Amino acid sequence: MKESYYIFSSGKLSKKNKNLRFTTNEGDVVDLKSEVIQDIYCYGEITMNTSCLNFLSKLNIPLHIFDYYGFYSGIFLPKETNISGEVLIKQVEAYQSNSTRLKIATEILNGAIHNILKNLKYYQNRGKNLEEEIIKIESLYKKLFKCKTIEELMGIEGSIRKVYYSCWKKILNNSFNFQKRIKHPPTDIINSLISYLNSFIYSLIITEISLTKLNLGISFLHSPSQNRFSLALDISEIFKPFLVDRTIFSLINKNIISEKNFEFKGKTCYLLNDSKKLILKEMDRRLKKTFKHKNYNTPISYKSLIHLECLSLLKLLNNEKEYQSFKIWW
């Protein structure tokens, strides 16, 4: 199974024979076996030449780039190798059909809200008093399937997330005075963690979509945009409660992360560089975790669920099977 490679130091990425080599500014050398790399995540300042970029393209290895603070900057995406004009036409037709787009968008949020409720019920069963919030979300959840427009769906999703985030101070042993979701820029420790991991999941999903015939720019819940891969935003809604939020709960409640892992500049809260490594190590451990899927005979990883989600959407477009978003069942 191919793996992701993370670069946190500054240095040079280059082609070395049939593999890749990363040389830090301090002179340390790491040789990377190209055949086992699925994608690369750069959190440090790196240099490379066109020979290296051509090599990455030949091996179909995406290179994700993040800024100093860990926020997503962009991607070097190899030339498309899974192009299908037929699938592209079907994806565009599904977007242009109001009924089909609404159906897909509703199912995306169906999975997202189901997974949010699973999180809350998990902690409710462990002594956290979340009954009132669960009832509120379940009431809003029922309205989801009566929506007639994407705007209505997004309105309900926004209301549910507001209630959901209000629960975090009960779930977390130390909420660091988290009050509400603030994105640009994050003003506190919890918002900084959410933004950092959301950026990572977004980039991970871009990689998984690029391995299929789906088009990254044609989405159903979020409006397509020239400045982002909006289909990755759609799919990330399903997996953020399961991967991002559960990782944050674990990091805080197990005292893996504390105030010392952050810095404040003005009203903005940033992760320190070593803390980024620590957090992605925990996320990587979670992604590699395997379990027996109810629809398969062999164990699969949590990361594989994202690829299966892309394939499920692809099967809908090919009229092979109804789309059902991933929902936690355990």
Side-chain angles (χ1 to χ4, degrees):
M1 181 178 177
K2 291 191 175 184
E3 296 188 356
S4 299
Y5 184 75
Y6 308 99
I7 297 176
F8 291 95
S9 303
S10 295
K12 180 180 179 181
L13 186 66
S14 59
K15 176 180 178 293
K16 182 64 177 179
N17 298 323
K18 294 183 178 180
N19 289 302
L20 292 164
R21 170 171 287 182
F22 180 66
T23 306
T24 69
N25 288 344
E26 291 74 31
D28 297 323
V29 176
V30 180
D31 287 323
L32 313 174
K33 293 183 179 180
S34 55
E35 68 270 16
V36 299
I37 297 177
Q38 177 170 302
D39 49 9
I40 299 174
Y41 297 80
C42 294
Y43 290 89
E45 293 186 9
I46 67 167
T47 60
M48 66 186 77
N49 56 27
T50 53
S51 175
C52 181
L53 291 172
N54 286 330
F55 189 56
L56 290 172
S57 182
K58 180 180 178 181
L59 297 175
N60 197 30
I61 299 176
L63 179 73
H64 299 281
I65 301 169
F66 299 80
D67 67 17
Y68 173 80
Y69 302 107
F71 302 138
Y72 196 67
S73 293
I75 181 176
F76 169 73
L77 193 62
K79 64 180 181 180
E80 293 182 280
T81 56
N82 294 307
I83 299 173
S84 171
E86 183 181 1
V87 171
L88 176 61
I89 291 169
K90 290 177 179 178
Q91 197 171 341
V92 171
E93 288 176 343
Y95 169 77
Q96 290 180 327
S97 167
N98 291 334
S99 59
T100 304
R101 183 188 175 191
L102 183 66
K103 186 177 181 180
I104 295 172
T106 300
E107 183 56 26
I108 288 170
L109 285 185
N110 185 16
I113 298 167
H114 172 94
N115 294 338
I116 282 173
L117 283 168
K118 273 291 186 179
N119 283 355
L120 297 182
K121 290 176 181 179
Y122 174 88
Y123 284 98
Q124 170 76 7
N125 293 335
R126 282 155 181 77
K128 306 293 185 180
N129 183 19
L130 301 170
E131 184 175 358
E132 182 180 344
E133 290 89 347
I134 289 172
I135 291 172
K136 285 182 181 178
I137 291 177
E138 287 180 333
S139 177
L140 289 165
Y141 192 10
K142 293 176 183 177
K143 297 179 181 179
L144 188 76
F145 306 98
K146 298 178 182 179
C147 291
K148 303 297 183 184
T149 65
I150 300 296
E151 290 72 25
E152 287 181 60
L153 284 177
M154 296 294 278
I156 289 175
E157 189 264 350
S159 298
I160 287 174
R161 285 203 171 272
K162 186 176 180 179
V163 177
Y164 176 52
Y165 285 129
S166 74
C167 298
W168 283 36
K169 56 181 172 288
K170 296 181 181 180
I171 293 172
L172 297 169
N173 294 339
N174 185 345
S175 66
F176 301 103
N177 199 34
F178 175 62
Q179 300 297 324
K180 62 180 180 178
R181 180 73 176 109
I182 300 174
K183 299 179 181 180
H184 305 297
T187 57
D188 56 74
I189 287 173
I190 302 301
N191 272 300
S192 184
L193 282 171
I194 295 172
S195 293
Y196 178 65
L197 285 173
N198 278 356
S199 290
F200 171 74
I201 289 298
Y202 171 71
S203 60
L204 175 63
I205 291 172
I206 289 172
T207 294
E208 295 299 331
I209 295 174
S210 71
L211 296 174
T212 73
K213 292 181 172 61
L214 292 170
N215 185 284
L216 280 157
I218 302 171
S219 52
F220 304 98
L221 177 63
H222 297 85
S223 295
S225 169
Q226 291 184 353
N227 300 319
R228 58 186 181 179
F229 296 121
S230 48
L231 185 60
L233 293 176
D234 280 6
I235 295 176
S236 69
E237 296 294 339
I238 300 164
F239 290 97
K240 285 189 293 188
F242 173 57
L243 294 174
V244 171
D245 301 349
R246 289 195 176 196
T247 297
I248 292 173
F249 299 156
S250 177
L251 288 167
I252 300 296
N253 289 343
K254 292 181 179 178
N255 297 315
I256 299 173
I257 287 291
S258 65
E259 291 95 333
K260 67 181 182 181
N261 299 105
F262 300 82
E263 64 175 336
F264 286 86
K265 291 187 176 180
K267 294 183 179 180
T268 305
C269 179
Y270 300 108
L271 273 160
L272 296 172
N273 201 46
D274 286 344
S275 306
K276 297 171 191 173
K277 300 179 189 177
L278 182 67
I279 292 167
L280 284 191
K281 182 178 179 181
E282 180 68 17
M283 174 60 81
D284 194 57
R285 182 196 65 78
R286 185 175 294 273
L287 289 168
K288 290 177 180 176
K289 186 176 180 180
T290 60
F291 70 107
K292 186 163 184 183
H293 196 289
K294 60 183 180 180
N295 296 333
Y296 300 90
N297 293 323
T298 58
I300 66 168
S301 68
Y302 283 3
K303 183 178 180 179
S304 299
L305 291 170
I306 299 173
H307 191 70
L308 291 174
E309 192 71 20
C310 297
L311 295 180
S312 180
L313 187 54
L314 193 57
K315 287 179 181 178
L316 168 72
L317 297 175
N318 287 326
N319 297 313
E320 296 175 19
K321 189 177 180 181
E322 283 294 309
Y323 171 58
Q324 292 186 328
S325 56
F326 166 72
K327 303 174 185 69
I328 305 168
W329 64 84
W330 61 91

